Amino acid sequence: MGVVKPVKSSLRRAAAAIRQARLVAFPTETVYGLGALAGSPRAVLRLYAAKGRPRFNPLIAHVATAGEAHRLVRFDDRAELLARHFWPGPLTMVLPRLPGAAVSRIACAGLPTLGVRVPDHPVALALLRAAGRPIVAPSANPSGRLSPTRAGDVARTLGGRVTMVLDGGPCRVGLESTIVDLTCRPARLLRPGGIAREAIERLIGRLDAAGGAIIAPGMLESHYAPRARLRLRARSAEAGEAFLGFGQMPPLAPEIPALNLSPNGDLTEAAHNLFSFLQTLDRPHVRTIAVAPIPTFGVGLAIQDRLARAAAPR
Ligand code: TXA
Ligand code: MG
């Protein structure tokens, strides 16, 4: 495994590795993805194995343009509108999968639908163009753990299992894409993420909450978990804890490790910092990470979602 700078030659090698059914981790604007050739059952099986991901959890297909997405899934009026507004960008749309789509059935976990997105990152787009086919990519972490927003996080946790990690620096958004299920009316919000729910609702109307039978499995209760426990809506921290703040910090004893997601209370900045700060505070002697209250509007909803799952019983 090598962590490599994404230059012409390494991108060419990465694309060749993908076409040979090997795994390549690459940066997107949300988090690092673990990429595999979508149409190859062998590659997709390798991907599930590398992450230790349950096979019932489907993967998102990444493509370089909306035009390519049209070859994988059936768009409706709402999907066209959302694609025009938010692609490239942190929006995944779940749509009916087209027969003959170049995505292995294994990646769809038996569902008649497929999640698709066009990432907004030059390295991701360059890799997709060089590979010339759709790439399925979950977040590049062992299943259930924190999503990686830096190449080093990937190397540390999955290093031995990937052919190459393309290092594009820290991810801009820091949280995964927003997932909207457009196979029903009203559409459903399956996972809050990098695009605010309100921005989507302005275009296509109210979104239903996910629920009922669909388990969009980032919806498994416990997920995104550091090793330490999490204590939410904390106003302070005691011995043995670390503190993850937002806005004004409370007075803390000097031995308490502490970081501030955003001293000015900016949710976009907090999202960008969330996973990497949790990684940093997740040290051996820290039993619990106490996390300050976070507002739940805009991207705050996604932050809250990740924190709640990280805090869920395991
Ligand atoms: O920002 C992102 O979306 C990142 C980057 C790498 O693109 N990818 C990502 O993938 O977060 P992953 O596998 O960690 O999360 C994808 C989520 C899972 O919760 C999965 O269950 C859900 O999307 N999903 C995928 N296909 C689906 C489908 N057809 N129906 C419902 N949920 C689906
Ligand atoms: Mg994930």
Side-chain angles (χ1 to χ4, degrees):
M1 188 275 308
V3 177
V4 296
K5 284 261 162 309
V7 294
K8 228 182 196 166
S9 57
S10 59
L11 280 165
R12 205 177 318 116
R13 273 185 290 129
I18 288 281
R19 282 196 302 264
Q20 291 157 20
R22 294 213 291 267
L23 307 180
V24 173
F26 62 96
T28 80
E29 81 282 28
T30 58
V31 300
Y32 274 76
L34 182 59
L37 186 62
S40 160
R42 188 159 59 99
V44 172
L45 285 171
R46 248 183 210 166
L47 179 53
Y48 277 95
K51 271 192 66 111
R53 181 177 178 108
R55 288 270 295 280
F56 60 78
N57 193 354
L59 301 169
I60 297 172
H62 295 65
V63 288
T65 63
E68 289 169 56
H70 280 83
R71 293 207 286 270
L72 304 179
V73 289
R74 188 163 56 247
F75 278 60
D76 64 10
D77 49 335
R78 299 169 300 174
E80 298 290 357
L81 193 60
L82 292 178
R84 266 204 306 282
H85 267 82
F86 296 121
W87 280 357
L91 174 72
T92 295
M93 297 197 285
V94 171
L95 290 163
R97 169 201 160 100
L98 288 174
V103 177
S104 161
R105 296 230 167 245
I106 301 167
C108 304
L111 297 171
T113 58
L114 176 65
V116 290
R117 103 175 179 96
V118 179
D120 184 19
H121 194 290
V123 175
L125 291 171
L127 178 65
L128 285 163
R129 278 192 295 264
R133 358 217 140 137
I135 293 178
V136 283
S139 50
N141 51 282
S143 187
R145 311 309 298 193
L146 291 172
S147 301
T149 56
R150 302 167 295 195
D153 299 335
V154 183
R156 199 159 11 82
T157 59
L158 282 182
R161 301 179 212 174
V162 304
T163 297
M164 195 188 281
V165 181
L166 292 168
D167 184 355
C171 300
R172 174 172 56 83
V173 176
L175 287 178
E176 299 85 345
S177 59
T178 302
I179 306 182
V180 178
D181 178 3
L182 292 159
T183 62
C184 45
R185 282 177 193 270
R188 284 194 295 193
L189 180 66
L190 296 186
R191 178 177 74 184
I195 290 183
R197 163 186 208 138
E198 299 89 324
I200 296 169
E201 290 187 323
R202 252 178 262 132
L203 291 174
I204 63 165
R206 187 178 57 82
L207 294 174
D208 259 358
I214 283 224
I215 302 236
M219 318 196 59
L220 295 173
E221 271 273 282
S222 168
H223 214 83
Y224 310 109
R227 187 199 42 78
R229 303 277 135 186
L230 251 64
R231 186 163 68 79
L232 304 185
R233 286 171 283 278
R235 300 286 173 183
S236 188
E238 46 195 70
E241 293 190 326
F243 189 77
L244 185 59
F246 178 80
Q248 173 94 55
M249 292 291 264
L252 293 167
E255 68 275 14
I256 303 269
L259 289 171
N260 195 336
L261 288 170
S262 173
N264 299 323
D266 174 346
L267 289 168
T268 303
E269 182 185 25
H272 171 81
N273 289 329
L274 181 69
F275 286 133
S276 60
F277 282 12
L278 283 171
Q279 296 268 16
T280 303
L281 292 179
D282 194 17
R283 305 180 197 161
H285 59 279
V286 170
R287 186 171 23 85
T288 303
I289 303 174
V291 187
I294 313 267
T296 54
F297 56 85
V299 78
L301 184 66
I303 297 175
Q304 196 55 56
D305 169 81
R306 304 307 187 271
L307 287 171
R309 289 179 206 289
R314 303 172 203 163

